[in-house]
Amino acid sequence: MNKLNIKKYLIIILTLLLTTSCTTNELKDDYYSYINKDIIEENEIEENEVGWSIFTISQDKVDNEVTNIISSITSNPSNEKELNISRFYTLITNTNSRNNTGIIPLEPYLEAINSVTNIDEFIELSTKIENELSIDIFTKVTVAKDFKNSDQLIAYLYPISFDYGLTSDYYTNSDYLYYHALLKQYNIKLLKQYGYTKEEARNSATLVDNFYKDIATNSKNSKDLNNIEEYYNIITKEELQNIYTTIDINSYLKNINLENINSFSIVDINNYKTINSYLTNDNLTTLKEYVKLKILQNYAIYASDDYANLIYELNSKLQGLDINNLTKEEKSINIINTYFNYDIDKIYTEKKFKEEEKDYINKMIKDILNYYKKELNNNTWLSQTTKEKAKIKLDNITINIGIQDNYPTYSDNYKIDTNTSLIENIIKMKKTISDYTLSKLNSTENISTIPQTTVNAYYNPQDNSINFPSASALLFDLDNSYYQNLGTIGMVIAHEITHAFDSNGAKFDENGNLSNWWTEEDYQEFNNLKEDVVEYYNKYEVLDGLYINGELTVDENIADLGSLSCISSLAISKGATKEELQEMYTSFANMWASLYTEDYQEILLLQDNHSPNKYRVNATLSSTEAFYEAYDLNIFDKMYIPKDNRVKVW
């Protein structure tokens, strides 16, 4: 072939490539937007909403069903438990009673704090308030499995929460400046509602704000707490006494019903040490304002509308909304579902969760687990020693679908009294929950951590389990093909299994104990691959000048990449045609369809440990080999990434 003919040949080939690319460039340049175009056009963002996703649309369906369940219970209770729920509903919806009551039940505590004259009185009274009102003033106790002995539950001392239960990031991270200002603004509004003058409210809010800033500066931030090992630091009662030098720890623990506990896992020692440094008479004014604000922040939502609306307004503004648009009915349902969630779970599951759906999820889990085990043999960077231990971990994963036998029963002990206020009932109910939870210390009972009415799933490293609430059935359709469901519920299953081997899950063994089961070389290689994932996602620009935080989202990205690799290989092993692979990827992309306001997207980029939905599709598929084959991607397509630049851990 002469030079002229070669030139003509190359022009023809280039023309064909360009023509082919142009006919499908939308799909290959931005798969997410192309596949979801109709869904996005049909679902606009409603006025004063942050947006929607397929998950929120599914959750709305569940919430509507929960509303129907609660309405049925309240209109015609059939047993003592339902009668209790009905009484509670009456208390919540009795606006006149709530408005007339205001915060009267809290006034004895607030007035007592006002009358404190020295630090010893403050500590004694604050301990009483912490116990009776279930507020974290000196400690925040959570009961969970012992990281190194998963057969036992122990007490974890979590960092004291900041304004409205938020984290230290709001006071230390410059990206949170706007939200930090909102917290102070609403503290002033809350204190003015309580009766402070504008100046008094501003002075009080400033004192507490400076107090929190100091504690936050010396506390772990969200990045630190993404590392699960940060949660496990066993200390004795004597060591806790050395942290809280001003408090008589034996007396304190007795007053909060922990007198028989001799050791704890403290999550953030410096958080407590900084609070301890404030326990002096010189700081008494600040400390008193701190406790008063804690009381108001924790109970305002159950008080009169003047108080409750401030909390709803703040929550809306923290999401980027101007006003709160929850109806009174929705607010009431949310409160009921907070305190009776396990009871509602049972009714919802019995009514809506089909046995065929449970069987289908179970079968797909087993398919994916079996395939993961086979794929481990083909892994090129793990040693045989670590591979065998990984397979043992997979063999021992517990599968929980729908309601388990170990549901908490604390609502059995509620004594709802319609002759008293909502706040008084809430105080007693919170105390009931706290007492129930503490009663499980040193037991072997597992405690469920996600409601069955949540459209989601999760992996629990502390018992090596994957958990699928009843509502997760909305993520697939029994009438769909195997490959369509593989792209939805299959992807979710594979995602959760991959969490067993992300940067936190990989630190736990097959029994859910914190244990180093890796060889040193293998773990180093894992961290190298993890860093590649961080850098890969860091390059994706979501909004003008705003990029994915690859470090914040790394574990979820590892799970996304692993799940797509798994379901792709599983489909191919079952003989999937190119069309069936496309069917699977289409349903996968459809599952992540969403549309959010830019303000809310900015909040998610700052706080969410998941990548934005568009990139959970596009970025993941661009590193999935089988996707290239299914759609014949080439270098002219925007989603094309050179093979050496594609990332993968599992």
Side-chain angles (χ1 to χ4, degrees):
M1 187 181 292
N2 60 38
K3 288 183 180 179
L4 185 60
N5 287 337
I6 291 173
K7 188 176 180 181
K8 286 181 178 179
Y9 175 77
L10 290 173
I11 290 172
I12 292 168
I13 293 298
L14 183 58
T15 302
L16 286 171
L17 284 171
L18 287 170
T19 303
T20 303
S21 180
C22 287
T23 58
T24 57
N25 69 324
E26 286 185 72
L27 182 149
K28 298 180 183 182
D29 290 347
D30 182 351
Y31 188 77
Y32 167 90
S33 297
Y34 180 83
I35 293 297
N36 292 320
K37 183 178 180 181
D38 290 343
I39 299 174
I40 291 171
E41 286 180 354
E42 290 167 8
N43 293 275
E44 295 181 352
I45 299 175
E46 294 184 13
E47 187 178 359
N48 204 46
E49 292 282 354
V50 297
W52 57 268
S53 71
I54 293 301
F55 278 76
T56 63
I57 290 172
S58 298
Q59 188 64 58
D60 285 343
K61 292 177 183 176
V62 176
D63 292 345
N64 287 336
E65 185 57 42
V66 167
T67 298
N68 292 336
I69 289 169
I70 292 173
S71 296
S72 175
I73 288 171
T74 56
S75 61
N76 188 27
S78 61
N79 53 49
E80 185 58 34
K81 176 63 67 66
E82 291 188 0
L83 190 58
N84 240 5
I85 294 173
S86 182
R87 293 187 189 115
F88 192 46
Y89 180 80
T90 299
L91 281 166
I92 298 167
T93 54
N94 191 339
T95 305
N96 288 335
S97 173
R98 290 175 65 179
N99 286 337
N100 290 335
T101 302
I103 58 162
I104 290 173
L106 301 172
E107 286 178 353
Y109 297 101
L110 295 163
E111 290 168 3
I113 281 289
N114 272 332
S115 65
V116 162
T117 60
N118 60 61
I119 196 64
D120 292 331
E121 289 178 8
F122 172 81
I123 291 171
E124 182 180 358
L125 178 59
S126 295
T127 302
K128 178 176 183 287
I129 290 171
E130 186 171 313
N131 181 37
E132 293 182 7
L133 299 187
S134 306
I135 294 174
D136 57 321
I137 296 172
F138 300 123
T139 63
K140 184 178 181 181
V141 182
T142 300
V143 175
K145 284 179 176 286
D146 186 329
F147 278 17
K148 293 192 175 180
N149 179 8
S150 60
D151 291 332
Q152 176 175 285
L153 297 174
I154 63 169
Y156 287 81
L157 302 179
Y158 273 67
I160 297 302
S161 60
F162 297 82
D163 278 319
Y164 303 94
L166 297 171
T167 64
S168 64
D169 301 77
Y170 285 80
Y171 305 84
T172 58
N173 187 333
S174 59
D175 291 333
Y176 285 80
L177 283 175
Y178 168 73
Y179 308 106
H180 178 200
L182 271 179
L183 300 182
K184 187 173 179 180
Q185 177 188 349
Y186 274 82
N187 280 343
I188 292 170
K189 290 184 176 184
L190 197 56
L191 289 166
K192 285 174 66 180
Q193 184 61 45
Y194 172 52
Y196 279 26
T197 65
K198 187 175 183 179
E199 185 178 355
E200 288 171 338
R202 188 183 293 114
N203 290 339
S204 173
T206 300
L207 283 175
V208 176
D209 189 56
N210 289 335
F211 170 69
Y212 278 142
K213 276 191 227 175
D214 193 17
I215 296 171
T217 302
N218 295 287
S219 297
K220 293 175 179 176
N221 57 29
S222 295
K223 179 184 173 184
D224 298 326
L225 296 175
N226 274 343
N227 180 359
I228 204 160
E229 287 178 308
E230 293 284 335
Y231 293 76
Y232 197 73
N233 305 284
I234 297 297
I235 63 167
T236 63
K237 188 187 296 186
E238 290 72 25
E239 288 171 316
L240 183 59
Q241 180 66 80
N242 290 335
I243 293 168
Y244 269 127
T245 55
T246 313
I247 299 175
D248 180 342
I249 287 300
N250 283 323
S251 175
Y252 170 77
L253 293 176
K254 182 177 181 181
N255 284 325
I256 64 168
N257 299 322
L258 284 172
E259 67 267 31
N260 296 323
I261 306 302
N262 294 309
S263 64
F264 313 83
S265 181
I266 189 166
V267 177
D268 191 347
I269 290 175
N270 288 331
N271 180 273
Y272 287 9
K273 282 184 175 180
T274 310
I275 295 170
N276 180 66
S277 71
Y278 274 85
L279 298 180
T280 67
N281 286 321
D282 290 342
N283 295 309
L284 197 57
T285 301
T286 296
L287 293 168
K288 289 162 68 172
E289 298 307 310
Y290 156 62
V291 173
K292 283 189 284 185
L293 257 177
K294 274 248 174 180
I295 294 171
L296 293 172
Q297 289 172 359
N298 275 270
Y299 284 92
I301 204 167
Y302 309 115
S304 59
D305 286 342
D306 289 339
Y307 279 100
N309 287 339
L310 289 175
I311 305 301
Y312 287 117
E313 283 173 19
L314 174 60
N315 287 339
S316 296
K317 290 193 175 182
L318 288 172
Q319 296 179 68
L321 294 175
D322 290 331
I323 59 172
N324 176 264
N325 62 345
L326 286 177
T327 66
K328 286 186 178 181
E329 181 70 7
E330 287 170 330
K331 292 173 184 176
S332 302
I333 296 298
N334 288 343
I335 294 173
I336 291 173
N337 213 19
T338 297
Y339 291 93
F340 286 94
N341 59 316
Y342 295 114
D343 306 288
I344 305 300
D345 278 0
K346 289 180 181 178
I347 299 170
Y348 174 86
T349 300
E350 289 168 5
K351 187 173 181 180
K352 301 299 291 184
F353 194 37
K354 302 171 186 172
E355 198 63 34
E356 312 93 89
E357 292 171 332
K358 183 174 181 178
D359 291 343
Y360 193 94
I361 294 173
N362 198 39
K363 181 181 181 303
M364 191 162 275
I365 288 173
K366 289 177 179 175
D367 274 0
I368 291 170
L369 278 172
N370 288 334
Y371 195 78
Y372 256 109
K373 292 172 200 171
K374 292 177 185 175
E375 280 294 283
L376 271 172
N377 290 324
N378 300 324
N379 183 286
T380 58
W381 58 271
L382 281 178
S383 68
Q384 194 58 37
T385 301
T386 306
K387 281 184 185 181
E388 292 305 316
K389 290 181 178 177
K391 282 190 270 189
I392 290 171
K393 186 169 185 180
L394 283 172
D395 283 334
N396 283 275
I397 283 182
T398 301
I399 301 168
N400 296 322
I401 305 171
I403 286 179
Q404 306 306 306
D405 295 332
N406 54 3
Y407 254 39
T409 56
Y410 51 73
S411 65
D412 292 345
N413 301 320
Y414 290 160
K415 308 293 184 196
I416 307 296
D417 184 357
T418 53
N419 294 316
T420 59
S421 68
L422 175 62
I423 287 180
E424 288 169 285
N425 279 275
I426 292 289
I427 289 171
K428 292 175 184 176
M429 293 164 82
K430 281 178 176 277
K431 188 69 169 62
T432 298
I433 296 171
S434 175
D435 289 346
Y436 176 90
T437 303
L438 292 178
S439 73
K440 300 303 174 184
L441 276 169
N442 295 319
S443 76
T444 58
E445 183 175 338
N446 192 13
I447 298 177
S448 298
T449 57
I450 186 170
Q452 294 300 315
T453 50
T454 301
V455 183
N456 211 327
Y458 70 101
Y459 170 76
N460 184 357
Q462 289 184 265
D463 61 4
N464 192 27
S465 68
I466 50 174
N467 303 270
F468 290 82
S470 305
S472 62
L474 270 71
L475 296 174
F476 73 101
D477 191 327
L478 290 171
D479 293 331
N480 285 347
S481 73
Y482 179 83
Y483 295 106
Q484 284 176 302
N485 286 333
L486 192 60
T488 53
I489 192 67
M491 180 272 171
V492 173
I493 291 165
H495 175 99
E496 299 309 330
I497 292 172
T498 308
H499 273 311
F501 304 97
D502 67 17
S503 54
N504 281 319
K507 294 170 183 173
F508 290 82
D509 64 17
E510 71 275 11
N511 297 313
N513 292 320
L514 196 62
S515 170
N516 184 10
W517 50 272
W518 297 69
T519 66
E520 188 176 336
E521 296 77 14
D522 287 347
Y523 199 66
Q524 182 57 52
E525 182 59 24
F526 169 81
N527 281 323
N528 292 339
L529 293 170
K530 172 185 165 184
E531 285 308 308
D532 290 342
V533 173
V534 171
E535 291 178 18
Y536 175 77
Y537 280 89
N538 274 339
K539 295 174 183 177
Y540 281 94
E541 186 176 22
V542 180
L543 298 170
D544 188 23
L546 295 176
Y547 293 77
I548 293 174
N549 183 335
E551 191 166 6
L552 173 67
T553 57
V554 62
D555 284 333
E556 295 299 333
N557 294 334
I558 288 173
D560 282 348
L561 290 162
S563 64
L564 260 292
S565 176
C566 170
I567 65 171
S568 298
S569 298
L570 176 57
I572 291 168
S573 75
K574 289 181 173 291
T577 63
K578 183 178 284 192
E579 289 72 23
E580 286 169 329
L581 284 175
Q582 291 176 1
E583 189 178 86
M584 179 182 73
Y585 292 132
T586 296
S587 64
F588 160 67
N590 287 159
M591 181 174 66
W592 296 110
S594 63
L595 186 63
Y596 291 112
T597 64
E598 284 199 7
D599 284 347
Y600 191 63
Q601 287 182 71
E602 287 185 26
I603 295 169
L604 292 177
L605 282 173
L606 192 60
Q607 300 179 359
D608 194 0
N609 62 347
H610 301 83
S611 293
N613 286 3
K614 178 176 179 177
Y615 302 92
R616 295 190 76 169
V617 175
N618 287 356
T620 308
L621 289 175
S622 286
S623 268
T624 301
E625 301 298 332
F627 179 72
Y628 285 76
E629 298 168 17
Y631 286 102
D632 300 316
L633 258 68
N634 59 60
I635 59 172
F636 299 102
D637 302 316
K638 289 182 181 177
M639 283 185 65
Y640 178 90
I641 291 176
K643 198 160 188 174
D644 290 345
N645 294 337
R646 297 170 201 169
V647 293
K648 176 181 176 181
V649 178
W650 302 107

